[in-house]
Amino acid sequence: MSAPSICFLLDRHEAPHNDNHRRLPRAFEACGWRVLRAGQETLCLDAGRLMVSEQGTLKALHEFDLVWHLGLGVRNTFLDRMESLSMLPNALLVTPAQALTLRHGKLHLIDPLLVDMLPDSYASACIDFLLSRITEGDWVIKPAAGSFGEDVVRVSAKTPNLQQMLEQACARHFVVAQRFVPLGGQPETRVLFAEGRMIGNYGRLPQDDQPGNLARGGTAAILDIDAGIKDKIARLEQWLGQQGIGFAAADFRAGHLIEINIANPGGLATIEQLSGEDLAPRVVEELSRRVFAQSTATRQHQKNLPSPRPLRPSSGDRASTSINSDDRSGGEG
């Protein structure tokens, strides 16, 4: 049996926000996989087949055991790439194109299956609607997708320039308004998942109790999972499995789910810095289960297929046909 294979589709235009583009391919190679690193911009359709072009050679994506589109890539071609990837079976994609399109931002959190885990949360590009929801207490406003900790602002209904801030933000994207949850000196929790299973976690203590992101100067530490979020983590494991999402991170703040990142979540490097353990091989292990299950199902399907019927010889060939079961069972001739 040949070694399993994976194609990483990488964003080669923008500086990465973490080291997943190096760490994860190396981990697959160390575990004996054949790995191709290709640029997202090299996706192409050739006679109905989805290919990537690498060093002048076209490679068919359906021939890989897994395809991992890491990150969202260039905005202008995002939907075209997702439409192209949707031609592949979902089981082939570490994260399906539909999930990257519909589940990568913060809007999907305001979903009947997840909304009870959240603090009060609203989203719109309508300024009047957002102003009507930002009432008593403090709130956090942030872009619906791709903020990386930027443009995340704590406000209240009394913030002097709130309407101007919303006008500027809503001119660019949908805005999420979420009730601010104070930490009370406790860290936020980031949880990493692979193939619908929790594989690791750490705490993030933001500066001045602001919404936490290590890119904004927060500090990280290893911590035990709080009993108050264990049930929520179990529900997220089930939800991620149902969505077919192979790698994700979820952030919790004072028991509330704040965010899910499925496009290219950070955290592997932080956990290694804190604990000395690289969890990338665990990601490989969990995704290998999917490939093994697929190959087992394929072998079972092939085993259950009826044997192909032999071609009937033409009349001119019958005299030369070797003796077979037809001769013993009263067949033609």
Side-chain angles (χ1 to χ4, degrees):
M1 183 181 295
S2 62
S5 60
I6 182 170
C7 176
F8 281 90
L9 297 175
L10 305 175
D11 180 2
R12 291 177 171 168
H13 287 91
E14 294 197 11
H17 292 270
N18 56 51
D19 70 350
N20 288 345
H21 63 293
R22 294 190 301 268
R23 178 182 297 268
L24 290 167
R26 284 201 309 258
F28 276 89
E29 287 172 335
C31 291
W33 285 58
R34 292 178 291 119
V35 175
L36 176 66
R37 300 163 176 84
Q40 295 169 359
E41 75 283 356
T42 71
L43 272 173
C44 52
L45 283 168
D46 182 52
R49 295 189 303 168
L50 189 58
M51 317 283 280
V52 289
S53 176
E54 190 64 15
Q55 297 181 346
T57 302
L58 290 177
K59 303 283 187 181
L61 287 182
H62 71 269
E63 295 179 356
F64 291 87
D65 293 293
L66 288 175
V67 175
W68 196 334
H69 189 286
L70 199 60
L72 301 177
V74 177
R75 181 185 295 267
N76 291 345
T77 60
F78 173 74
L79 289 178
D80 296 319
R81 281 180 278 115
M82 294 303 105
E83 185 176 2
S84 300
L85 288 173
S86 68
M87 300 176 188
L88 298 174
N90 281 345
L92 196 66
L93 296 163
V94 171
T95 298
Q98 182 179 16
L100 284 172
T101 305
L102 301 178
R103 307 295 188 195
H104 77 273
K106 301 175 180 67
L107 298 182
H108 71 274
L109 293 174
I110 310 174
D111 176 297
L113 297 177
L114 302 175
V115 70
D116 65 304
M117 301 190 202
L118 305 173
D120 294 340
S121 301
Y122 307 96
S124 182
C126 176
I127 299 164
D128 289 340
F129 171 78
L130 293 170
L131 287 172
S132 73
R133 293 298 183 265
I134 299 174
T135 54
E136 72 281 354
D138 286 358
W139 292 75
V140 174
I141 57 173
K142 51 191 174 182
S147 65
F148 297 106
E150 299 296 326
D151 299 322
V152 179
V153 185
R154 180 176 171 180
V155 300
S156 75
K158 298 178 181 179
T159 299
N161 60 339
L162 177 59
Q163 181 161 343
Q164 182 181 356
M165 293 167 62
L166 289 174
E167 288 174 353
Q168 293 175 351
C170 290
R172 301 192 302 271
H173 41 59
F174 256 50
V175 171
V176 173
Q178 192 170 76
R179 186 174 294 281
F180 176 75
V181 179
L183 284 173
Q186 298 300 311
E188 293 182 350
T189 302
R190 166 153 287 204
V191 182
L192 296 182
F193 301 86
E195 203 62 0
R197 294 181 176 91
M198 177 181 134
I199 61 170
N201 67 280
Y202 62 94
R204 303 187 306 193
L205 192 61
Q207 289 184 340
D208 302 323
D209 207 28
Q210 296 300 316
N213 186 298
L214 295 183
R216 302 182 69 193
T219 57
I222 293 295
L223 80 168
D224 294 329
I225 290 292
D226 184 84
I229 65 172
K230 286 184 177 179
D231 176 65
K232 294 181 175 68
I233 289 173
R235 287 172 57 190
L236 273 179
E237 288 179 326
Q238 182 180 12
W239 184 82
L240 290 167
Q242 291 171 346
Q243 302 292 325
I245 295 169
F247 187 53
D251 295 332
F252 292 88
R253 184 180 175 96
H256 294 275
L257 175 64
I258 300 296
E259 188 170 333
I260 302 174
N261 187 326
I262 67 169
N264 185 17
L268 293 174
T270 301
I271 289 177
E272 184 176 25
Q273 290 167 4
L274 295 171
S275 69
E277 181 182 10
D278 182 8
L279 292 180
R282 179 73 186 279
V283 177
V284 179
E285 177 186 346
E286 295 297 341
L287 288 170
S288 296
R289 298 179 196 272
R290 184 198 298 192
V291 172
F292 177 77
Q294 289 171 3
S295 60
T296 301
T298 300
R299 289 196 300 270
Q300 186 63 39
H301 174 69
Q302 292 172 340
K303 181 180 179 181
N304 293 336
L305 289 175
S307 300
R309 297 179 61 182
L311 295 174
R312 296 178 62 182
S314 64
S315 57
D317 293 335
R318 287 175 184 167
S320 61
T321 303
S322 60
I323 296 174
N324 57 28
S325 59
D326 288 338
D327 298 306
R328 295 191 296 272
S329 60
E332 286 186 330

